[in-house]
Amino acid sequence: MTVLTELTAGHVFEPISLTLDAERARAYRNAVGDGLGVYDEAGAVPPLAVAAVALGVLLESVSLPAGTLHVSESLEFRKAVSPGATLECRAVLAQRSVRGGMVVSVIDSEILVDGSAAVTARATVMSPQPS
Amino acid sequence: MNAPEVAPVVRQLTQPMIDAYAEASGDHNPIHMDEAFARTTPMGGTIAHGMLVLSLISEMMTAAFGERWLAGGSLEVRFRAPARPGDTATARAKAGEPKDGRLRYAVECVSQTDEVLIAGTATVGQ
């Protein structure tokens, strides 16, 4: 599997398609303890579930070196996502730099539903520099 | 429109919760789940996923703004310190001045000792 720190800036990850079905959304809500009724009323899943599941699927294609830390996260929730919606996730390694023996990677991602962005995200992680 | 008060969300984080989150999200990094491995790292033990702790902030904003948050919310945060199993995390928000037609809040998640776990800004359309 590709290691994140071996990638160069501008690397485009293989687009991912996945379905966030009602069962998985319920599992997410149970895990985080979110019992709000608004999701059922709105026919939507928690927006952070969309970002989290897309990140989880992305991590199936790229491994993170031991000791990698999630430093920061920016998210925009542009439209509500219904349970069962098909998500298309596009991600790119927007920046890569080395500071103090750590590789700083910035991953920009866009999660689309029906062709338009539902969630956009920028994640910054720091990993030990490979020796 | 002035930014309304947002009620905090308080939740204890447990290892079963972290394990369930790993299963639901697909993030099975051993630093979150494998105590023996995690003890060999600078963390000294398992820690909660940052996105799990962040979910408390998103839940807090969802409770306050409902569908406006689901389709129109934004978050910009830094993960300042790890949360560990047994910690009680509190998500809270302090209203700031609205800007560019959006309500703005300084948001954070703190531990039971008031250590800042996550800090940043949340905005939502007015």
Side-chain angles (χ1 to χ4, degrees):
Chain A
M1 186 186 292
T2 306
V3 180
L4 179 64
T5 50
E6 294 175 351
L7 302 175
T8 56
H11 174 84
V12 177
F13 296 92
E14 195 69 29
I16 297 162
S17 178
L18 67 135
T19 301
L20 180 50
D21 59 26
E23 187 177 347
R24 193 164 188 184
R26 190 162 41 249
Y28 174 91
R29 288 176 58 189
N30 288 340
V32 302
D34 186 343
L36 295 176
V38 65
Y39 307 111
D40 296 327
E41 294 159 15
V45 300
L48 210 56
V50 176
V53 169
L55 178 64
V57 174
L58 182 68
L59 290 176
E60 292 174 4
S61 66
V62 61
S63 68
L64 303 179
T68 296
L69 296 173
H70 196 167
V71 178
S72 66
E73 185 78 29
S74 298
L75 294 151
E76 287 186 15
F77 309 133
R78 298 189 176 182
K79 67 179 184 183
V81 175
S82 305
T86 299
L87 312 176
E88 304 287 335
C89 180
R90 299 172 186 164
V92 60
L93 180 60
Q95 296 175 34
R96 181 191 186 279
S97 59
V98 179
R99 282 187 227 153
M102 300 290 283
V103 179
V104 181
S105 305
V106 179
I107 301 167
D108 285 348
S109 58
E110 191 174 45
I111 302 158
L112 301 98
V113 175
D114 296 331
S116 64
V119 176
T120 60
R122 164 167 279 204
T124 303
V125 300
M126 290 178 65
S127 312
Q129 189 174 17
S131 52
Chain B
M1 177 185 177
N2 289 328
E5 292 291 315
V6 172
V9 168
V10 182
R11 188 153 301 139
Q12 185 174 37
L13 305 170
T14 65
Q15 188 61 54
M17 188 179 183
I18 294 167
D19 294 344
Y21 181 86
E23 195 60 37
S25 69
D27 182 348
H28 294 97
N29 187 325
I31 192 68
H32 305 301
M33 306 172 69
D34 184 339
E35 181 63 23
F37 167 80
R39 279 202 196 122
T40 67
T41 73
M43 294 299 157
T46 56
I47 59 173
H49 304 73
M51 294 289 276
L52 165 56
V53 185
L54 185 58
S55 74
L56 273 62
I57 293 178
S58 187
E59 178 185 335
M60 170 179 71
M61 299 302 288
T62 303
F65 295 102
E67 294 186 45
R68 284 164 62 195
W69 179 253
L70 303 182
S74 78
L75 275 170
E76 192 167 336
V77 299
R78 290 187 72 82
F79 298 98
R80 296 280 185 83
R84 301 176 187 282
D87 281 349
T88 297
T90 299
R92 57 194 185 196
K94 185 176 178 185
E97 285 297 313
K99 186 178 176 185
D100 300 329
R102 295 181 68 78
L103 302 175
R104 298 174 67 83
Y105 292 85
V107 293
E108 62 182 9
C109 249
V110 298
S111 72
Q112 66 280 5
T113 60
D114 231 20
E115 181 181 24
V116 177
L117 308 172
I118 297 174
T121 304
T123 74
V124 63
Q126 281 184 297

